Amino acid sequence: MEQTFIMIKPDGVQRHLVGDIIKRFEAKGFGLVGLKMVSVSRELAEKHYAVHKERPFFSGLVDFIISSPVIAMVWEGKDVIAAARKLIGATNPLAAEPGTIRGDYGVDLGRNLIHGSDAPETAKQEISLWFTDEELVAWEPSRLTWLYE
């Protein structure tokens, strides 16, 4: 099964949307294999967003992510990376389709609630940045036979 990293950002935590967001991934049939609430250090935030280091919004992004706790998660399932991106919606909530997390709850580009890995390589890197192997739980839920042939 494929894995992806999902982070509910400070605005999602502060707006009490954690349960609603998790419910969407569970309802889709994905398995939660890692979950923790994190007060993000500046060092971790800079590593996570290193790809944006040269962009003008980098420092504001880092400041935002460390401003309040986040929920870090690892989800598992068939094609979970692509499916999660569809569940999340477009980066700009104003362009996100209704029915997506950002389309339903997002208001502003700078407060877009959630981060999701965009590719298998990114997912592996982000998961290893946020979780140790011991923090991930390997388990086989009984629902798999009801989801996949």
Side-chain angles (χ1 to χ4, degrees):
M1 289 285 157
E2 185 176 69
Q3 292 184 337
T4 193
F5 174 75
I6 301 293
M7 174 177 44
I8 303 175
K9 296 178 181 180
D11 52 329
V13 174
Q14 290 290 343
R15 291 177 55 197
H16 300 274
L17 295 172
V18 173
D20 290 336
I21 291 171
I22 289 173
K23 182 179 179 177
R24 289 179 182 228
F25 285 88
E26 287 185 322
K28 188 72 173 174
F30 298 126
L32 184 61
V33 297
L35 170 73
K36 60 184 173 181
M37 182 177 238
V38 180
S39 291
V40 184
S41 68
R42 183 168 296 278
E43 179 184 3
L44 177 56
E46 288 177 352
K47 285 180 183 175
H48 179 79
Y49 287 115
V51 67
H52 300 301
K53 189 152 181 77
E54 302 305 319
R55 309 213 60 182
F57 58 82
F58 176 75
S59 64
L61 184 57
V62 169
D63 288 343
F64 173 63
I65 291 300
I66 68 173
S67 69
S68 178
V70 303
I71 303 297
M73 301 176 283
V74 177
W75 288 91
E76 188 173 76
K78 184 177 179 185
D79 300 318
V80 70
I81 295 169
R85 302 288 292 177
K86 287 189 94 55
L87 278 173
I88 290 169
T91 302
N92 185 342
L94 298 177
E97 294 292 324
T100 65
I101 292 165
R102 289 177 176 152
D104 290 350
Y105 302 119
V107 178
D108 184 76
L109 178 61
R111 301 289 183 265
N112 64 12
L113 304 168
I114 189 168
H115 165 85
S117 301
D118 61 2
E121 305 78 33
T122 310
K124 284 182 182 183
Q125 187 265 331
E126 290 175 345
I127 291 167
S128 69
L129 188 61
W130 289 83
F131 288 89
T132 65
D133 289 341
E134 294 77 29
E135 292 175 309
L136 301 178
V137 179
W139 64 292
E140 189 167 316
S142 59
R143 68 173 162 49
L144 291 181
T145 58
W146 301 103
L147 292 170
Y148 309 117
E149 285 189 81

